[in-house]
Amino acid sequence: YTLGDLTALPFADEQFDAVLLFDVLEHLHDPQQGLREVRRVLRSGGMLHALVPCEGQPLTLHWLLWKLNVAADLKERQVGHVQRFTHGQLKALLAQEGFELRKTTYSIHPLGQVKDILM
């Protein structure tokens, strides 16, 4: 493996058929640059598989705390989440960087949200 920065990947253009990003974009101050780099290292027709928490999505517990200004910076302080994506924002960001969405699934883990808040 290679340790690197998603916003400046140490790989040649079009080097990979697939890129996996699990719980990364929410930690980046410039997620657009990270996606731009992913696009650069993906071959034409390559696939990005990403898991991104959407803590800005209305009706989640994190969104509610943020709107009520109760521990609004909880995820940033605890685990370094500097982005609060909504589904729409994330889709727009991916489209802006030229990604075609082929499949989107959503999962709301209420127990995981409660655990985050209590810890």
Side-chain angles (χ1 to χ4, degrees):
Y1 71 88
T2 300
L3 182 62
D5 178 346
L6 186 65
T7 63
L9 292 172
F11 303 112
D13 294 357
E14 300 185 18
Q15 188 169 346
F16 298 102
D17 292 318
V19 172
L20 303 175
L21 291 180
F22 292 172
D23 294 298
V24 175
L25 294 177
E26 68 276 11
H27 295 273
L28 300 179
H29 287 284
D30 189 354
Q32 188 169 12
Q33 178 58 33
L35 288 172
R36 195 171 294 129
E37 276 293 279
V38 168
R39 172 54 89 200
R40 180 185 67 78
V41 300
L42 272 175
R43 289 188 178 114
S44 179
M47 181 179 71
L48 166 63
H49 182 94
L51 176 72
V52 182
C54 291
E55 293 159 350
Q57 186 64 30
L59 305 179
T60 63
L61 290 176
H62 292 295
W63 172 84
L64 182 61
L65 289 175
W66 175 45
K67 289 298 183 183
L68 294 173
N69 199 27
V70 175
D73 64 346
L74 178 71
K75 292 297 278 197
E76 184 173 357
R77 283 186 292 115
Q78 284 189 339
V79 292
H81 290 192
V82 295
Q83 300 294 331
R84 286 189 181 100
F85 292 111
T86 65
H87 299 155
Q89 289 168 333
L90 190 55
K91 284 180 176 183
L93 183 62
L94 289 163
Q96 197 172 16
E97 291 308 317
F99 290 96
E100 173 191 336
L101 290 176
R102 293 189 183 160
K103 182 177 180 182
T104 303
T105 59
Y106 301 104
S107 175
I108 297 176
H109 299 285
L111 293 177
Q113 293 177 46
V114 170
K115 179 188 80 67
D116 283 349
I117 293 164
L118 295 176
M119 296 189 85

Coordinates of all heavy atoms in Angstrom, one line a residue, residues 24-83:
V24 N -14.0 9.0 3.8 CA -12.9 9.9 3.5 C -13.3 11.3 3.2 O -12.8 12.3 3.8 CB -12.0 9.4 2.3 CG1 -10.9 10.3 1.9 CG2 -11.5 8.0 2.6
L25 N -14.3 11.5 2.3 CA -14.6 12.8 1.8 C -15.0 13.8 2.9 O -14.8 15.0 2.8 CB -15.7 12.8 0.7 CG -15.3 12.1 -0.6 CD1 -16.4 12.0 -1.5 CD2 -14.1 12.8 -1.2
E26 N -15.7 13.3 3.9 CA -16.2 14.2 5.0 C -15.0 14.7 5.8 O -15.2 15.7 6.6 CB -17.2 13.4 5.9 CG -16.6 12.3 6.7 CD -16.5 11.0 6.0 OE1 -16.6 10.9 4.7 OE2 -16.2 10.0 6.6
H27 N -13.8 14.2 5.7 CA -12.6 14.7 6.4 C -11.8 15.8 5.6 O -10.9 16.4 6.2 CB -11.7 13.5 6.7 CG -12.3 12.5 7.7 ND1 -12.2 12.7 9.0 CD2 -13.0 11.4 7.4 CE1 -12.8 11.6 9.6 NE2 -13.3 10.9 8.6
L28 N -12.2 16.0 4.4 CA -11.4 16.9 3.5 C -12.0 18.3 3.5 O -13.2 18.5 3.3 CB -11.4 16.4 2.1 CG -10.8 15.0 1.8 CD1 -10.9 14.6 0.4 CD2 -9.4 14.9 2.3
H29 N -11.1 19.3 3.6 CA -11.5 20.7 3.5 C -11.8 21.0 2.1 O -12.7 21.9 1.8 CB -10.4 21.6 4.0 CG -10.3 21.6 5.5 ND1 -11.2 22.2 6.4 CD2 -9.4 21.0 6.3 CE1 -10.8 22.0 7.6 NE2 -9.8 21.2 7.6
D30 N -11.3 20.2 1.1 CA -11.6 20.4 -0.3 C -11.9 19.1 -0.9 O -11.1 18.5 -1.6 CB -10.3 21.1 -1.0 CG -10.7 21.5 -2.4 OD1 -11.8 21.2 -2.9 OD2 -9.8 22.1 -3.0
P31 N -13.1 18.6 -0.7 CA -13.5 17.3 -1.2 C -13.5 17.3 -2.8 O -13.3 16.3 -3.4 CB -14.9 17.0 -0.6 CG -15.4 18.3 -0.2 CD -14.2 19.1 0.1
Q32 N -13.8 18.4 -3.3 CA -13.8 18.5 -4.8 C -12.4 18.2 -5.4 O -12.3 17.5 -6.4 CB -14.2 19.9 -5.2 CG -14.4 20.0 -6.7 CD -15.1 21.3 -7.1 OE1 -15.3 22.3 -6.3 NE2 -15.6 21.4 -8.3
Q33 N -11.3 18.7 -4.7 CA -10.0 18.4 -5.2 C -9.7 16.9 -5.0 O -9.1 16.3 -5.9 CB -8.9 19.2 -4.4 CG -7.5 18.9 -4.8 CD -7.2 19.1 -6.3 OE1 -7.8 20.0 -6.9 NE2 -6.3 18.3 -6.8
G34 N -10.2 16.3 -4.0 CA -10.0 14.9 -3.8 C -10.7 14.1 -4.9 O -10.1 13.1 -5.4
L35 N -11.9 14.4 -5.2 CA -12.6 13.8 -6.3 C -12.0 14.0 -7.7 O -11.9 13.1 -8.5 CB -14.1 14.2 -6.4 CG -14.9 13.6 -5.2 CD1 -16.3 14.2 -5.2 CD2 -15.0 12.1 -5.3
R36 N -11.4 15.2 -7.8 CA -10.7 15.5 -9.1 C -9.5 14.6 -9.2 O -9.2 14.1 -10.3 CB -10.2 17.0 -9.0 CG -9.8 17.5 -10.4 CD -9.6 19.0 -10.3 NE -10.8 19.7 -10.1 CZ -11.0 20.6 -9.1 NH1 -10.1 21.0 -8.3 NH2 -12.2 21.1 -9.0
E37 N -8.8 14.3 -8.1 CA -7.6 13.4 -8.2 C -8.1 11.9 -8.4 O -7.4 11.2 -9.2 CB -6.9 13.4 -6.8 CG -5.9 14.5 -6.8 CD -4.7 14.3 -7.7 OE1 -3.8 13.6 -7.4 OE2 -4.8 14.9 -8.8
V38 N -9.2 11.5 -7.8 CA -9.7 10.2 -8.1 C -10.1 10.1 -9.6 O -9.7 9.1 -10.2 CB -11.0 9.9 -7.3 CG1 -11.7 8.7 -7.7 CG2 -10.6 9.8 -5.8
R39 N -10.7 11.1 -10.2 CA -11.0 11.1 -11.6 C -9.8 11.0 -12.4 O -9.7 10.2 -13.4 CB -11.8 12.4 -11.9 CG -12.1 12.6 -13.4 CD -12.7 11.5 -14.1 NE -14.1 11.6 -14.1 CZ -14.9 10.5 -14.3 NH1 -14.3 9.3 -14.6 NH2 -16.2 10.6 -14.3
R40 N -8.7 11.7 -12.0 CA -7.4 11.7 -12.8 C -6.8 10.3 -12.8 O -6.3 9.8 -13.8 CB -6.5 12.7 -12.1 CG -5.1 12.7 -12.8 CD -4.1 13.6 -12.1 NE -3.7 13.1 -10.8 CZ -2.8 12.2 -10.6 NH1 -2.3 11.6 -11.6 NH2 -2.5 11.8 -9.4
V41 N -6.8 9.5 -11.7 CA -6.2 8.2 -11.6 C -7.0 7.1 -12.1 O -6.5 6.0 -12.3 CB -5.6 7.9 -10.2 CG1 -4.6 9.0 -9.8 CG2 -6.7 7.7 -9.2
L42 N -8.3 7.4 -12.3 CA -9.2 6.3 -12.9 C -9.1 6.2 -14.4 O -9.1 7.2 -15.1 CB -10.7 6.6 -12.5 CG -11.2 6.1 -11.2 CD1 -12.6 6.6 -11.0 CD2 -11.2 4.6 -11.1
R43 N -9.0 5.0 -14.9 CA -9.1 4.8 -16.3 C -10.5 5.1 -16.9 O -11.5 5.1 -16.1 CB -8.8 3.3 -16.7 CG -7.3 3.0 -16.4 CD -7.0 1.6 -16.9 NE -5.6 1.3 -16.7 CZ -5.2 0.4 -15.9 NH1 -6.0 -0.4 -15.2 NH2 -3.9 0.2 -15.7
S44 N -10.6 5.4 -18.1 CA -11.9 5.7 -18.7 C -12.8 4.5 -18.5 O -12.4 3.3 -18.7 CB -11.7 5.9 -20.2 OG -12.9 6.1 -20.8
G45 N -14.0 4.7 -18.0 CA -14.9 3.6 -17.7 C -14.6 3.0 -16.3 O -15.3 2.1 -15.9
G46 N -13.7 3.6 -15.5 CA -13.4 3.1 -14.2 C -14.5 3.4 -13.2 O -15.4 4.2 -13.5
M47 N -14.4 2.7 -12.1 CA -15.5 2.9 -11.1 C -15.0 3.4 -9.8 O -13.9 3.0 -9.2 CB -16.1 1.5 -10.8 CG -17.2 1.5 -9.8 SD -18.0 -0.1 -9.5 CE -16.7 -0.9 -8.6
L48 N -15.7 4.3 -9.2 CA -15.5 4.8 -7.9 C -16.6 4.3 -7.0 O -17.8 4.3 -7.3 CB -15.6 6.4 -7.8 CG -15.8 7.0 -6.4 CD1 -14.6 6.7 -5.6 CD2 -16.0 8.5 -6.6
H49 N -16.2 3.6 -5.9 CA -17.2 3.1 -4.9 C -16.9 3.9 -3.7 O -15.8 3.8 -3.1 CB -17.0 1.6 -4.7 CG -18.0 1.0 -3.8 ND1 -19.2 0.5 -4.2 CD2 -18.0 1.0 -2.4 CE1 -19.8 0.0 -3.1 NE2 -19.1 0.3 -2.0
A50 N -17.9 4.6 -3.2 CA -17.7 5.5 -2.0 C -18.7 5.3 -1.0 O -19.9 5.1 -1.3 CB -17.6 7.0 -2.4
L51 N -18.3 5.4 0.3 CA -19.2 5.4 1.4 C -19.0 6.8 2.1 O -17.9 7.1 2.5 CB -19.0 4.3 2.4 CG -19.8 4.3 3.6 CD1 -21.2 3.9 3.3 CD2 -19.2 3.3 4.6
V52 N -20.1 7.6 2.2 CA -19.9 8.9 2.7 C -21.1 9.2 3.7 O -22.2 9.2 3.2 CB -19.9 10.0 1.6 CG1 -19.7 11.4 2.2 CG2 -18.8 9.7 0.5
P53 N -20.8 9.5 4.9 CA -21.9 9.9 5.8 C -22.5 11.3 5.4 O -21.7 12.2 5.1 CB -21.2 10.0 7.2 CG -19.8 10.1 7.0 CD -19.5 9.6 5.6
C54 N -23.8 11.3 5.4 CA -24.4 12.6 5.0 C -25.0 13.2 6.3 O -26.3 13.2 6.5 CB -25.5 12.3 4.0 SG -24.8 11.9 2.4
E55 N -24.2 13.8 7.1 CA -24.6 14.3 8.4 C -25.3 15.6 8.3 O -25.9 16.1 9.3 CB -23.4 14.4 9.3 CG -22.8 13.0 9.7 CD -21.4 13.0 10.1 OE1 -20.7 14.1 10.0 OE2 -20.9 12.0 10.5
G56 N -25.4 16.2 7.1 CA -26.2 17.4 6.9 C -27.6 17.1 6.4 O -28.3 18.0 6.1
Q57 N -27.9 15.8 6.2 CA -29.1 15.4 5.7 C -30.2 15.7 6.7 O -30.2 15.2 7.8 CB -29.1 13.9 5.3 CG -30.4 13.4 4.6 CD -30.6 14.0 3.3 OE1 -29.6 14.4 2.6 NE2 -31.8 14.1 2.9
P58 N -31.3 16.4 6.3 CA -32.4 16.7 7.2 C -32.9 15.5 7.8 O -33.0 14.4 7.2 CB -33.4 17.4 6.3 CG -32.5 18.1 5.3 CD -31.4 17.1 5.0
L59 N -33.3 15.6 9.1 CA -34.0 14.6 9.9 C -33.0 13.6 10.5 O -33.5 12.6 11.1 CB -35.1 13.9 9.2 CG -36.2 14.9 8.7 CD1 -37.3 14.2 7.9 CD2 -36.8 15.8 9.8
T60 N -31.7 13.7 10.3 CA -30.8 12.8 11.0 C -30.5 13.5 12.4 O -30.7 14.7 12.5 CB -29.4 12.7 10.2 OG1 -28.8 13.9 10.1 CG2 -29.7 12.1 8.9
L61 N -30.1 12.7 13.3 CA -29.8 13.2 14.6 C -28.7 14.3 14.6 O -28.7 15.3 15.3 CB -29.4 12.1 15.6 CG -30.6 11.2 16.0 CD1 -30.1 10.1 16.9 CD2 -31.7 12.0 16.7
H62 N -27.6 14.0 13.8 CA -26.6 15.0 13.6 C -27.1 16.3 13.1 O -26.6 17.4 13.5 CB -25.4 14.4 12.8 CG -24.7 13.3 13.4 ND1 -24.0 13.5 14.6 CD2 -24.6 12.0 13.1 CE1 -23.5 12.3 15.0 NE2 -23.9 11.4 14.1
W63 N -27.9 16.3 12.1 CA -28.5 17.5 11.5 C -29.3 18.2 12.6 O -29.2 19.5 12.7 CB -29.4 17.1 10.3 CG -30.2 18.2 9.8 CD1 -29.8 19.2 8.8 CD2 -31.5 18.6 10.1 NE1 -30.8 20.0 8.6 CE2 -31.9 19.7 9.3 CE3 -32.5 18.0 10.9 CZ2 -33.1 20.3 9.4 CZ3 -33.7 18.6 11.0 CH2 -34.0 19.7 10.2
L64 N -30.1 17.5 13.3 CA -30.9 18.1 14.4 C -30.1 18.8 15.4 O -30.3 20.0 15.8 CB -31.8 17.1 15.0 CG -32.8 17.6 16.1 CD1 -33.7 18.6 15.5 CD2 -33.5 16.4 16.7
L65 N -29.0 18.2 15.9 CA -28.1 18.8 16.9 C -27.5 20.1 16.3 O -27.3 21.1 17.0 CB -27.0 17.8 17.3 CG -27.5 16.7 18.2 CD1 -26.3 15.7 18.5 CD2 -28.1 17.2 19.5
W66 N -27.1 20.0 15.0 CA -26.4 21.1 14.3 C -27.4 22.3 14.3 O -27.1 23.4 14.6 CB -26.0 20.6 13.0 CG -25.4 21.7 12.1 CD1 -24.5 22.7 12.4 CD2 -25.7 21.8 10.7 NE1 -24.2 23.4 11.3 CE2 -24.9 22.9 10.2 CE3 -26.5 21.1 9.8 CZ2 -24.9 23.3 8.9 CZ3 -26.5 21.5 8.5 CH2 -25.7 22.6 8.0
K67 N -28.7 22.0 13.9 CA -29.7 23.0 13.7 C -30.1 23.6 15.1 O -30.4 24.8 15.2 CB -30.9 22.5 13.0 CG -30.7 22.2 11.5 CD -30.3 23.5 10.8 CE -30.1 23.3 9.3 NZ -29.7 24.5 8.6
L68 N -30.0 22.8 16.1 CA -30.4 23.3 17.5 C -29.2 23.9 18.2 O -29.3 24.4 19.3 CB -30.9 22.2 18.3 CG -32.3 21.6 17.9 CD1 -32.6 20.4 18.7 CD2 -33.4 22.7 18.0
N69 N -28.0 23.9 17.5 CA -26.7 24.4 18.0 C -26.4 23.7 19.4 O -25.9 24.3 20.3 CB -26.7 25.9 18.1 CG -25.3 26.4 18.2 OD1 -24.4 25.8 17.7 ND2 -25.1 27.5 18.9
V70 N -26.7 22.4 19.5 CA -26.3 21.6 20.6 C -25.2 20.6 20.2 O -25.5 19.8 19.3 CB -27.6 20.8 21.1 CG1 -27.2 19.9 22.3 CG2 -28.7 21.7 21.5
A71 N -24.1 20.9 20.7 CA -22.9 20.0 20.3 C -22.8 20.0 18.7 O -22.5 19.0 18.1 CB -23.0 18.6 20.8
A72 N -22.9 21.2 18.1 CA -23.0 21.3 16.7 C -21.6 20.9 16.1 O -21.6 20.4 14.9 CB -23.3 22.7 16.3
D73 N -20.5 20.9 16.8 CA -19.2 20.5 16.3 C -18.8 19.2 16.7 O -17.6 18.8 16.7 CB -18.2 21.6 16.6 CG -17.9 21.7 18.1 OD1 -18.8 21.2 18.9 OD2 -16.9 22.3 18.5
L74 N -19.7 18.4 17.2 CA -19.4 17.1 17.8 C -18.6 16.2 16.9 O -17.6 15.7 17.3 CB -20.7 16.3 18.2 CG -20.6 14.9 18.7 CD1 -20.0 15.0 20.2 CD2 -22.0 14.2 18.8
K75 N -19.0 16.0 15.6 CA -18.3 15.1 14.7 C -17.0 15.7 14.3 O -16.0 14.9 14.1 CB -19.2 14.8 13.5 CG -20.4 14.0 13.8 CD -20.0 12.6 14.3 CE -19.7 11.7 13.1 NZ -19.7 10.3 13.4
E76 N -16.8 17.0 14.3 CA -15.5 17.5 14.0 C -14.6 17.3 15.1 O -13.4 16.9 14.9 CB -15.7 19.0 13.6 CG -14.3 19.6 13.2 CD -14.5 21.1 12.7 OE1 -15.6 21.6 12.7 OE2 -13.4 21.7 12.4
R77 N -15.0 17.6 16.3 CA -14.2 17.4 17.5 C -13.8 15.9 17.7 O -12.7 15.6 18.0 CB -14.9 17.9 18.8 CG -14.8 19.4 18.9 CD -15.4 19.9 20.2 NE -16.8 19.6 20.4 CZ -17.4 18.8 21.3 NH1 -16.6 18.2 22.1 NH2 -18.7 18.6 21.3
Q78 N -14.8 15.0 17.6 CA -14.5 13.6 17.9 C -13.7 12.9 16.8 O -12.8 12.1 17.1 CB -15.8 12.9 18.1 CG -16.5 13.2 19.4 CD -17.7 12.2 19.7 OE1 -18.2 11.7 18.8 NE2 -18.0 12.1 20.9
V79 N -14.1 13.1 15.6 CA -13.4 12.3 14.5 C -13.0 13.1 13.3 O -12.6 12.5 12.3 CB -14.4 11.2 14.1 CG1 -14.5 10.1 15.2 CG2 -15.7 11.7 13.6
G80 N -13.0 14.4 13.3 CA -12.5 15.2 12.2 C -13.4 15.4 11.0 O -12.8 15.7 9.9
H81 N -14.7 15.2 11.2 CA -15.6 15.5 10.0 C -15.7 17.0 9.8 O -16.3 17.7 10.7 CB -16.9 14.9 10.3 CG -16.9 13.4 10.2 ND1 -18.1 12.7 10.2 CD2 -15.9 12.5 10.2 CE1 -17.8 11.4 10.1 NE2 -16.5 11.2 10.2
V82 N -15.2 17.5 8.7 CA -15.3 18.9 8.5 C -16.4 19.2 7.4 O -16.6 20.4 7.1 CB -13.9 19.5 8.0 CG1 -12.9 19.4 9.2 CG2 -13.4 18.9 6.8
Q83 N -17.0 18.2 6.9 CA -18.1 18.4 5.9 C -19.4 17.8 6.5 O -19.3 16.8 7.1 CB -17.7 17.7 4.6 CG -16.5 18.1 3.9 CD -16.6 19.6 3.4 OE1 -17.7 20.1 3.1 NE2 -15.4 20.2 3.3

